[in-house]
Amino acid sequence: MTTYTARPITAPVLKELRALDDAGRPMVPRTDEEGGAPLRCCLRRSEPGEPIALVSYAPLRRWAAQTGADPGAYDEQGPVFLHAEECAGPQGDALPFTRAHRVLRRYSADGRILGGRLVEAPEDFAPALTEAFADPGVALVHVRAVEYGCFLYEVRRV
C-alpha cells in the first residue's frame, strides 16, 4: 500500500511569510484564545494561548517558481494560519485535518488544474490520493477545506 505524506509550508518559506506574506503585508501575531486553527507550519490545530498569525500564501505560485511552471490564471493566494514564531514542524506522518470534508485538487506539471475530488471520510483519503497519482499527468495535489476553500497542505508524487 502506498502512503502519502502531507507537506507543510517549508521553514524558508515560513520565514519569508513571517516577514511579509504573499500579498506584501507584514505578519500580525495574535494570541489564539480559543485554539483550533489549522496550522500549516506543523500541520496540527492550535492550542489555546499560542501565538499565531493569519497570513496570505500563494502555494501554487511558490511551487511554480521552483519548477518553472506557469500557472497563469490558476495562481491564487489565500489565508493560512501559522505559528507566529518558528516551531518544530509536524510530528508524525499521518495525514492531518481529515475529520472534515476536503477537496483534493489535482495539478499538472505546468500548473493547470486537472480536476478535483470531494473526500468525506478519513479512510477515503488514501484511495483518493492513489486515484489522483494513478494519472501520470498529476504532479501534485492540494488538500483544501470545503467550507472556505483554504489551502491546507500539499501532497507530491514520490
Side-chain angles (χ1 to χ4, degrees):
M1 179 174 159
T2 304
T3 58
Y4 299 95
T5 303
R7 297 172 57 103
I9 299 174
T10 65
V13 172
L14 289 167
K15 185 175 181 177
E16 292 173 9
L17 293 173
R18 288 180 180 118
L20 282 180
D21 70 12
D22 286 343
R25 291 186 291 270
M27 180 185 75
V28 179
R30 68 175 181 85
T31 300
D32 187 354
E33 300 296 335
E34 297 177 15
L39 299 165
R40 279 39 163 239
C41 49
C42 55
L43 300 179
R44 67 166 177 81
R45 297 215 176 259
S46 63
E47 298 289 333
E50 286 188 295
I52 65 170
L54 183 62
V55 300
S56 185
Y57 177 57
L60 195 62
R61 180 185 315 156
R62 287 183 175 269
W63 170 81
Q66 292 175 345
T67 63
D70 178 11
Y74 295 107
D75 179 17
E76 62 184 339
Q77 62 189 34
V80 295
F81 288 102
L82 48 90
H83 278 114
E85 297 177 2
E86 188 176 335
C87 71
Q91 305 298 308
D93 57 5
L95 291 173
F97 313 129
T98 60
R99 300 225 176 267
H101 294 168
R102 301 293 181 219
V103 170
L104 303 186
R105 191 184 296 171
R106 304 169 186 183
Y107 289 93
S108 67
D110 62 357
R112 302 298 188 258
I113 294 176
L114 294 178
R117 178 174 170 185
L118 176 64
V119 179
E120 299 181 81
E123 63 272 11
D124 295 336
F125 272 78
L129 287 165
T130 297
E131 174 188 293
F133 288 115
D135 177 347
V138 172
L140 73 150
V141 173
H142 283 180
V143 177
R144 292 179 171 262
V146 171
E147 63 273 39
Y148 299 107
C150 298
F151 170 86
L152 291 169
Y153 56 90
E154 175 183 292
V155 179
R156 292 189 195 175
R157 190 178 301 282
V158 177

